[in-house]
């Protein structure tokens, strides 16, 4: 088996309209700069302040790091291809891009689950919170997320490497992903499509449902709290829920195809590769007084110490 003749693929990109390409080049470049600066700002603020001692922010710093890595596997190629004449990607680069996109994306999903569990422990079991979410536990959760994501990604790549690619090499997408590649294989892949939909699709749906239920349990627990405690917990949970919806809904639409629609997949993929990572830092910082105070402390202190 293996890839028989094809050594490179051609990425068809987001769309074929020439006039829109320069505008999109500028737009996506700005988005990418915003993603890098926003997420690195969150990461450095947490690492540079006492917030990193709290499990929620410990996970948030990893989430920001994963956002940067995840987008960086897709965005630079998407942006440069908008101006390139030939949008080619070698077979090995294509497999690597698919591996890293799935690896960082899956790690991000597991960390979002960890953050929901953390909020559940903090709000529903406050007396045991420091034991449930001790620092060793946090490290174990992050390591488990990375190992789980690695296994998930390796399995996808192993499936792809076994497929013969002998005919058309034009991928109707802006990065190498499972379904667009399966369409190009020189064999019947309908069984594989079902396998991937059941594994990735069902995993996405179950995780999403579990997250929504956990936040509903948290919100129902909050009804019994004092108004100030409730307000703070509500603003934290609402920002978490927003991020979960932004990331998961497009993902579910991609991996649980309602119809055979790759053009829609490209739009959905934009959500979790560019739009969600861009809004995550905003969502987590704008409604969060701890984060805003930490930013003032970290960055104003830096300026003052540079001024001296």
């Amino acid at each position: 088996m293996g890839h028989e003749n094809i050594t490179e693929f051609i990425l068809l990109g987001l769309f074929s309209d020439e006039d829109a390409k320069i505008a999109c080049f500028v737009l996506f470049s700005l988005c990418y700069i915003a993603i890098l600066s926003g997420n690195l700002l969150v990461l450095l603020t947490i690492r540079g302040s006492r917030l990193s001692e709290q499990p929620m922010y410990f996970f948030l710093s990893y989430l920001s790091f994963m956002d940067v890595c995840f987008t960086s596997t897709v965005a630079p190629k998407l942006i440069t291809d908008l101006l390139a004449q030939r949008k080619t990607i070698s077979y090995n680069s294509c497999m690597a891009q698919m591996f890293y996109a799935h690896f960082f994306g899956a790690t991000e999903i597991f960390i979002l689950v960890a953050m929901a569990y953390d909020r559940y422990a903090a709000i529903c079991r406050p007396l045991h919170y420091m034991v449930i979410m001790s620092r060793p536990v946090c490290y174990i959760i992050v390591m488990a997320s990375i190992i789980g994501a690695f296994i998930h990604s390796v399995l996808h790549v192993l499936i792809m490497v076994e497929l013969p690619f002998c005919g058309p090499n034009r991928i109707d997408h802006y990065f190498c992903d499972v379904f667009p590649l399966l369409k190009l294989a020189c064999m019947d892949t309908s069984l594989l499509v079902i396998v991937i939909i059941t594994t990735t699709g069902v995993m996405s749906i179950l995780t999403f449902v579990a997250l929504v239920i956990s936040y509903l349990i948290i919100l129902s627990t909050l009804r019994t709290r004092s108004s100030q405690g409730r307000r703070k917990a509500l603003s934290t949970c609402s920002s978490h829920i927003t991020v979960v919806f932004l990331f998961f809904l497009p993902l579910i639409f991609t991996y649980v195809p309602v119809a055979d629609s790759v053009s829609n997949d490209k739009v959905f993929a934009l959500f979790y590769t560019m739009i969600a990572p861009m809004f995550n830092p905003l969502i987590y910082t704008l409604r969060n007084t701890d984060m805003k105070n930490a930013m003032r402390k970290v960055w104003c202190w830096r300026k003052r110490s540079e001024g001296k």
Side-chain angles (χ1 to χ4, degrees), residues 50-214:
R50 300 199 57 175
L51 284 181
S52 58
E53 294 165 13
Q54 297 176 38
M56 182 174 94
Y57 295 104
F58 172 81
F59 291 130
L60 182 53
S61 68
Y62 277 97
L63 188 74
S64 294
F65 180 62
M66 289 305 154
D67 267 337
V68 168
C69 296
F70 181 51
T71 307
S72 297
T73 58
V74 176
K77 181 85 180 133
L78 163 66
I79 291 163
T80 50
D81 275 357
L82 282 167
L83 299 186
Q85 289 303 310
R86 270 175 65 78
K87 305 172 180 63
T88 55
I89 185 168
S90 72
Y91 178 86
N92 289 347
S93 302
C94 188
M95 292 301 138
Q97 189 185 43
M98 190 180 76
F99 172 81
Y100 286 118
H102 277 263
F103 174 64
F104 294 123
T107 309
E108 201 162 318
I109 287 174
F110 293 135
I111 288 173
L112 285 170
V113 173
M115 289 171 80
Y117 180 65
D118 167 72
R119 287 303 83 206
Y120 167 77
I123 291 164
C124 301
R125 308 193 49 197
L127 299 177
H128 304 109
Y129 179 62
M130 294 317 288
V131 180
I132 296 172
M133 298 306 285
S134 64
R135 190 43 48 108
V137 171
C138 293
Y139 278 118
I140 289 166
I141 289 173
V142 170
M143 281 312 297
S145 302
I146 291 168
I147 293 164
F150 181 78
I151 293 166
H152 163 84
S153 311
V154 165
L155 288 175
H156 275 75
V157 171
L158 288 176
I159 289 171
M160 283 301 152
V161 170
E162 285 302 307
L163 293 179
F165 293 102
C166 51
N169 67 338
R170 298 161 78 83
I171 299 174
D172 189 11
H173 213 305
Y174 58 86
F175 71 101
C176 289
D177 201 9
V178 180
F179 289 135
L181 276 171
L182 283 175
K183 286 199 164 95
L184 301 182
C186 305
M187 60 176 276
D188 180 25
T189 57
S190 50
L191 188 67
L192 275 177
V193 170
I194 293 164
V195 168
I196 288 165
I197 288 171
T198 43
T199 53
T200 311
V202 170
M203 190 181 85
S204 304
I205 289 175
L206 288 178
T207 312
F208 178 66
V209 169
L211 286 171
V212 171
I213 290 170
S214 69

Side-chain angles (χ1 to χ4, degrees), residues 27-42:
L27 179 68
F28 290 144
S29 299
L30 291 173
C31 285
Y32 187 49
I33 291 164
I35 289 164
L36 292 182
S37 48
N39 283 294
L40 290 172
L41 181 69
V42 169

